[in-house]
Amino acid sequence: MQAAMAGRDDMPVPYSFDITGNVADKLVRHYGITDGDVHKFIGDCLLYTGCGNADGFDPSTGDPSLQRDEFGTVWLRDKGLREIGDWGGIREFPLKEPRLGDYKFPDPNDPGRYRHMRADWLTSSDRYVILASNGLFDVCWHLRGFEEFLMDMAYEKAFVNGLLDRILEYNLAVISNIPDTVDGIRFGEDWGQQDGMLMGKPYWEEYLKPRLRKMYGLARSRGFDVFIHSCGDISAVFGDLADMGVQVVNPVQPEVMDVAFLKREYGRDLTLYGALGSQSTIPHGTPAEVVDEAKRMVELLGKGGGYIMGPAGAIPAEASVENVSALVDYAMSLS
């Protein structure tokens, strides 16, 4: 991993697969994986972990299909949703109006969030350990509602700045508490759509950029590598990300961005992670086409290092096991 991020291409291209639970089940059956650990079986270079809940937190709502997170957002977790993905949908937003009022944030210093990061299975791993963490924008709209928060960015600036400052404070405390068993942090949020930025670059620069710079800077100062995840076309901010200390960008959707241009313009500063078509080739191509695309990306993006091969977003449930196993077999042949 570190060799690829350092721009070396004298070692095999590392790979990591984001897959939905449905696809993981297909692979378990296809390969006969006895312990159910698909990522270990395929040789995934990244070992993901995340923050736990505070000690004593109870997510139950009285309805087994609904769960409340620590921020107060209620999520639909019905098993039937696995046919389309793993995230579910939001059924209740805590902030009904553009004001914080007496809303109380979770405690970022609760030891329950970090205890499992010191577990033997993590500390003894020879894989690169990466923490999947929150960014800023997605937490905002999970609290407020998607359309509502986008409107707030235009018309409720004082509220938006206040909310972002509170989330930044929470995230900085989390970064400060993360044990050094972690190698890198992937800050996940979606800024992009199929054509450009969801909120436009001016609002991204006004609201998010200065706060994200503080988060990334603290992570780097603690010795963690900084990954960001954003679906959609975020090519407009690649230069900003490099300037802000980001090292790895994921998932680099080939359907909406010119990956050859991104490699040419930013490959000296940013490692590209993903770039295999989760909206196109993987679910809709043939096994041969899936492997051909992977080979092209390894040749194009792996030249000079700076590439982690993987799907551009979670491989969707409708992808056939033939397509996914062809990609897995090719990836395992690289090591």
Side-chain angles (χ1 to χ4, degrees):
M1 274 296 304
Q2 279 85 357
M5 292 168 60
R8 290 172 52 192
D9 60 2
D10 58 341
M11 299 179 69
V13 170
Y15 57 89
S16 180
F17 285 6
D18 187 0
I19 54 178
T20 56
N22 180 293
V23 171
D25 291 344
K26 292 179 185 178
L27 292 176
V28 166
R29 293 191 296 268
H30 177 80
Y31 289 108
I33 303 171
T34 55
D35 63 1
D37 190 340
V38 173
H39 294 281
K40 179 180 178 182
F41 174 84
I42 68 178
D44 195 309
C45 296
L46 302 182
L47 176 58
Y48 273 91
T49 186
C51 287
N53 288 324
D55 285 334
F57 174 73
D58 182 3
S60 61
T61 63
D63 181 337
S65 68
L66 299 176
Q67 289 186 352
R68 190 183 308 276
D69 67 25
E70 284 197 81
F71 287 88
T73 304
V74 176
W75 295 80
L76 177 63
R77 300 298 196 194
D78 187 270
K79 290 183 179 179
L81 290 169
R82 295 191 77 210
E83 294 304 314
I84 58 173
D86 292 339
W87 282 102
I90 296 178
R91 290 296 178 266
E92 183 180 329
F93 302 99
L95 299 179
K96 311 299 184 186
E97 301 293 335
R99 53 179 176 269
L100 286 170
D102 59 358
Y103 176 79
K104 186 178 180 180
F105 278 78
D107 178 7
N109 299 308
D110 190 283
R113 304 196 188 290
Y114 314 103
R115 189 174 296 115
H116 67 287
M117 296 182 201
R118 299 182 176 89
D120 289 343
W121 69 271
L122 197 64
T123 57
S124 64
S125 174
D126 58 358
R127 291 161 63 189
Y128 182 101
V129 178
I130 184 166
L131 174 76
S133 184
N134 290 323
L136 295 170
F137 176 69
D138 280 19
V139 180
C140 287
W141 74 259
H142 291 173
L143 291 173
R144 179 76 178 101
F146 187 74
E147 294 86 355
E148 289 81 359
F149 186 69
L150 287 177
M151 291 291 288
D152 291 341
M153 293 179 87
Y155 297 109
E156 301 287 349
K157 290 183 177 290
F159 164 72
V160 170
N161 280 310
L163 178 59
L164 283 167
D165 283 343
R166 293 291 300 279
I167 298 170
L168 173 63
E169 180 183 6
Y170 176 88
N171 285 352
L172 291 175
V174 169
I175 296 167
S176 297
N177 277 291
I178 294 170
D180 59 11
T181 51
V182 171
D183 297 307
I185 305 174
R186 191 192 77 161
F187 295 98
E189 54 189 330
D190 290 332
W191 308 316
Q193 55 188 341
Q194 295 296 97
D195 183 14
M197 307 285 286
L198 283 163
M199 72 293 294
K201 188 175 180 182
Y203 281 148
W204 184 88
E205 290 180 320
E206 176 184 352
Y207 289 122
L208 300 181
K209 182 177 179 178
R211 295 175 172 94
L212 292 169
R213 185 187 291 275
K214 292 179 180 179
M215 288 166 45
Y216 303 159
L218 178 58
R220 292 290 299 270
S221 74
R222 290 212 52 213
F224 301 128
D225 296 324
V226 172
F227 293 54
I228 68 100
H229 165 93
S230 175
C231 293
D233 179 5
I234 62 165
S235 52
V237 300
F238 262 63
D240 300 86
L241 296 174
D243 177 64
M244 294 157 65
V246 172
Q247 294 152 281
V248 184
V249 178
N250 164 262
V252 196
Q253 287 183 251
E255 298 90 352
V256 300
M257 292 191 288
D258 184 341
V259 296
F261 170 80
L262 296 176
K263 176 67 175 181
R264 184 170 64 250
E265 293 296 314
Y266 305 108
R268 292 182 299 276
D269 302 309
L270 295 171
T271 292
L272 306 181
Y273 165 20
L276 306 183
S278 285
Q279 291 181 329
S280 52
T281 312
I282 297 175
H284 303 302
T286 65
E289 289 169 338
V290 170
V291 173
D292 284 346
E293 179 179 62
K295 289 179 177 179
R296 288 198 306 274
M297 291 303 174
V298 166
E299 182 177 353
L300 172 66
L301 304 181
K303 188 176 298 183
Y307 180 49
I308 304 168
M309 188 183 74
I315 295 178
E318 67 266 27
S320 70
V321 71
E322 291 79 13
N323 280 12
V324 182
S325 62
L327 179 58
V328 167
D329 292 344
Y330 170 66
M332 290 194 295
S333 76
L334 297 175
S335 56

